[in-house]
Amino acid sequence: MGSIVLFPPARNLRRVRAVAIEALDLDGHRSSRFIRQACRTLFLELTVAFGLPPRIARIEVQAFQDAVQAEMIRQTYCIHETGGSA
């Protein structure tokens, strides 16, 4: 029987971008809550559906959260880029 290799959630650009874009559309507290909820959902998926140990799942969730934050920064600069000096 073969083993399943989990694709790192932080590299799932579709999911990372979807969370980042949604979070950017919300105000500060709601944005933070939305990101936390997305991370909780991911943690549950990793531990329950894929059977990862919680310690490993937390590492994956942290990497995902870091990727979302980086994407939010990238999206912000892309949206506000005016071609002038920064």
Side-chain angles (χ1 to χ4, degrees):
M1 186 179 264
S3 61
I4 296 175
V5 177
L6 179 67
F7 187 75
R11 293 198 160 184
N12 182 341
L13 293 180
R14 181 177 292 165
R15 187 173 192 169
V16 167
R17 285 182 179 155
V19 172
I21 289 168
E22 181 73 25
L24 284 171
D25 286 341
L26 301 171
D27 66 15
H29 292 295
R30 290 183 350 165
S31 177
S32 295
R33 262 182 295 183
F34 179 78
I35 293 170
R36 280 195 307 272
Q37 184 59 45
C39 288
R40 282 188 203 108
T41 300
L42 177 59
F43 181 79
L44 287 174
E45 287 175 12
L46 293 173
T47 56
V48 175
F50 293 104
L52 285 180
R55 181 179 60 81
I56 302 298
R58 278 189 212 92
I59 292 168
E60 293 296 332
V61 169
Q62 184 61 54
F64 174 79
Q65 185 175 354
D66 292 345
V68 169
Q69 293 292 330
E71 179 63 18
M72 289 173 71
I73 291 167
R74 191 188 76 75
Q75 288 285 330
T76 300
Y77 282 115
C78 286
I79 291 169
H80 293 104
E81 188 176 50
T82 61
S85 61

